[in-house]
Amino acid sequence: MPDYNTVLTLLQKHGQEHILAGYDNLSANERDQLLEDCARVDFGWLDARWAEMQASGGSAADAEIEVAPVVELPKTEAEKARYDEARAIGEEQLRAGRVAAFLVAGGQGTRLGFSGPKGCFPVGPISGRTLFKWHAEQILARSRRYGAPIPFYLMTSRDNDADTRRFFADNNYFGLPEGDVVFFQQEMVPCLDLNGKLMLATPSTLAMNPNGHGGALSGLHRSGAIDDMRRRGIEYISYFQVDNPLVTICDPVFIGLHVQAGSEMSSKVLEKNSPAERIGVVCSQNGRPAVVEYIDLDEATQKALGADGRLKFWAGSIAIHIINTTFVERVAGGAGLPWHQSRKKVAYFDGEKVVKPGSENAIKFETFVFDALPFAEKTLNMEVQREHEFAPVKNAEGVDSVATSRELLTKYFAEWLREAGITVSTPEAIEISPLYSLDAGELRTKFKPEGFTFERSIVLG
């Protein structure tokens, strides 16, 4: 247990002793908690982040950016043949058991008005199938298709780790072998107020935030997950985020293109629906592959057109990657990713009560997974069709909401049914479990279309 005087001396050295002002009013357990929180802070790291913030004077896009190459959607017979070749290579990797699924699942469902891990949110248009179930069933179905295990790694957070583990256990890991489902927690870092001072979240705990989705790489390394992958013979990691039920996990075409290119980190991209769409763009910056966030692009750059009349920077990143395990080891075991800071509203304890501020009052420090791209010797960008791969559930209403996600799922599954020769007449909702069909091709093998007309809602699987 950290000693009070030792912690006080440490805090005084870094000008943070105010955090112990209410120490005498705490219970014995609360005192221990506060001392532990303070003792865990890497003050050298924290001071360096604050100094970087004070010294920084421009946006991430101040350096000139150029268009990055993209493998676009196949149109010609030659391009379709390349996809067929890539699919065969990706399927070979899956059959050999060289691919793992990795889900970044540290979020809570707060913006959805939901209490609990975001992955427990019911997104199924009819059944209420949760995001976790959707993803796990897809991994199980793909594992069965290729006759090899696909281990499933999940990065949780301090706030949702216990609930996530319990949810999987209560649901018998959705049919996956328990030993193939591996959890680890994302690291937390302290918030600072606008004067560079530590903040309390409660009388006995520091205000902290997860270290960003870039923490996925350091988390894989720190937790021993990469060592576990090495023991299993995993070479490729299919990275995705929890809020997108349309993601194709362990996509054989994507894996194959990645392998063909000798890429260390590959990204799926889609055509932005407007210059101001709130997604980052893949590009080349200072001669290296990069993703620049939409907030760091000025209006002129956002609206710039290429010679073909298309947006010059049309390729939006959707947080779906294939990453080599050796690349994760190199990046996470080295200097690590750069840190970003942003002003946020952070609830804090003011000495008497917890205050929910009406304006930005704190600095959060985060890393972004796409900041690993400049470290890669080779990368690849693959264009996907928005309607087939991107239906994020971020908001309770409006853009990227529950309703829009369910609508996109229904439209996509209706397309599958039509491809199978089935008449679909403006259905209210359609839901097809990955365990029933992973794709339209598999669905075609399960129907004799004659006589089938779907007019309302339907669940398959």
Side-chain angles (χ1 to χ4, degrees):
M1 183 61 60
D3 172 75
Y4 172 83
N5 289 324
T6 300
V7 171
L8 177 61
T9 299
L10 178 65
L11 291 169
Q12 288 173 333
K13 179 181 177 181
H14 295 276
Q16 302 286 0
E17 63 272 17
H18 67 283
I19 215 72
L20 294 179
Y23 181 83
D24 292 340
N25 300 323
L26 302 178
S27 68
N29 287 339
E30 288 175 327
R31 290 178 180 182
D32 289 345
Q33 177 66 62
L34 183 57
L35 293 178
E36 285 182 10
D37 267 16
C38 292
R40 289 194 189 103
V41 174
D42 182 342
F43 283 97
W45 172 89
L46 195 63
D47 291 346
R49 301 289 77 74
W50 181 253
E52 285 174 357
M53 183 182 143
Q54 298 302 104
S56 65
S59 79
D62 279 349
E64 186 174 352
I65 64 174
E66 298 294 338
V67 174
V70 175
V71 178
E72 298 187 23
L73 292 168
K75 300 178 183 67
T76 67
E77 291 305 313
E79 290 169 342
K80 291 174 183 176
R82 179 185 180 185
Y83 264 51
D84 289 340
E85 291 173 8
R87 181 180 292 103
I89 292 171
E91 289 177 337
E92 178 185 350
Q93 305 308 314
L94 287 161
R95 289 191 187 97
R98 300 189 186 109
V99 184
F102 177 31
L103 174 59
V104 177
Q108 296 287 96
T110 309
R111 288 167 64 183
L112 299 171
F114 177 74
S115 177
K118 195 169 189 179
C120 298
F121 185 81
V123 72
I126 303 170
S127 72
R129 181 179 271 102
T130 64
L131 286 160
F132 279 145
K133 185 175 183 179
W134 208 286
H135 298 320
E137 287 186 347
Q138 187 181 161
I139 293 166
L140 178 58
R142 205 167 297 280
S143 174
R144 289 174 175 172
R145 173 178 286 187
Y146 296 108
I150 298 176
F152 186 16
Y153 297 82
L154 296 95
M155 185 174 75
T156 64
S157 67
R158 181 176 68 172
D159 291 338
N160 76 10
D161 182 74
D163 288 338
T164 299
R165 291 172 186 261
R166 187 180 307 111
F167 189 74
F168 270 76
D170 289 347
N171 286 277
N172 196 31
Y173 298 89
F174 304 102
L176 291 165
E178 181 179 351
D180 285 348
V181 182
V182 181
F183 303 91
F184 65 89
Q185 282 191 48
Q186 185 171 13
E187 295 173 87
M188 304 289 287
V189 294
C191 305
L192 296 177
D193 70 17
L194 301 184
N195 295 311
K197 299 297 184 182
L198 289 170
M199 306 164 64
L200 289 171
T202 71
S204 60
T205 58
L206 293 179
M208 305 184 80
N209 64 271
N211 63 349
H213 46 71
L217 304 188
S218 60
L220 284 169
H221 186 269
R222 173 189 51 80
S223 68
I226 281 289
D227 293 333
D228 184 68
M229 289 181 184
R230 189 188 301 113
R231 286 192 295 271
R232 296 174 187 259
I234 300 298
E235 297 181 22
Y236 308 107
I237 302 168
S238 178
Y239 169 103
F240 61 106
Q241 297 183 347
V242 72
D243 60 10
N244 182 12
L246 261 186
V247 57
T248 303
I249 304 166
C250 300
D251 178 354
V253 175
F254 191 27
I255 295 166
L257 289 172
H258 173 90
V259 173
Q260 281 181 320
S263 174
E264 292 187 301
M265 181 172 177
S266 296
S267 309
K268 283 190 174 181
V269 302
L270 50 73
E271 184 164 8
K272 294 180 65 174
N273 60 22
S274 72
E277 185 177 7
R278 297 163 68 88
I279 55 176
V281 296
V282 298
C283 60
S284 174
Q285 189 173 38
N286 297 321
R288 302 298 302 165
V291 169
V292 174
E293 284 280 58
Y294 64 92
I295 57 174
D296 290 323
L297 293 174
D298 59 43
E299 186 176 359
T301 303
Q302 288 178 359
K303 293 183 176 180
L305 300 180
D308 58 359
R310 193 182 199 183
L311 286 176
K312 182 177 180 181
F313 296 102
W314 61 265
S317 174
I318 52 175
I320 303 172
H321 303 283
I322 299 293
I323 309 173
N324 291 359
T325 52
T326 52
F327 180 63
V328 173
E329 289 179 297
R330 191 172 84 240
V331 172
L337 301 180
W339 288 88
H340 300 260
Q341 65 276 336
S342 58
R343 294 192 176 208
K344 300 287 185 179
K345 297 178 185 178
V346 174
Y348 65 97
F349 180 70
D350 68 355
E352 297 181 358
K353 62 185 182 303
V354 174
V355 177
K356 293 185 177 180
S359 59
E360 296 165 345
N361 67 314
I363 305 298
K364 285 186 175 183
F365 298 101
E366 296 177 301
T367 56
F368 300 149
V369 70
F370 52 69
D371 278 335
L373 288 166
F375 294 95
E377 293 302 318
K378 290 186 178 180
T379 62
L380 174 131
N381 301 307
M382 170 186 170
E383 183 185 8
V384 296
Q385 214 169 315
R386 178 186 294 267
E387 297 81 4
H388 294 180
E389 196 89 19
F390 193 55
V393 185
K394 297 182 181 296
N395 306 306
E397 297 177 344
V399 178
D400 293 341
S401 66
V402 184
T404 60
S405 182
R406 289 173 176 163
E407 180 182 358
L408 286 165
L409 286 166
T410 291
K411 286 182 177 178
Y412 190 36
F413 294 139
E415 185 178 318
W416 286 13
L417 291 166
R418 292 188 183 102
E419 286 184 29
I422 297 165
T423 301
V424 181
S425 177
T426 59
E428 295 174 6
I430 300 175
E431 184 175 334
I432 301 177
S433 164
L435 295 177
Y436 188 83
S437 291
L438 270 171
D439 49 44
E442 184 177 1
L443 183 65
R444 282 195 296 270
T445 68
K446 297 188 175 183
F447 270 98
K448 292 181 179 179
E450 295 81 5
F452 274 97
T453 300
F454 293 147
E455 297 180 348
R456 296 189 178 179
S457 300
I458 181 172
V459 178
L460 298 176

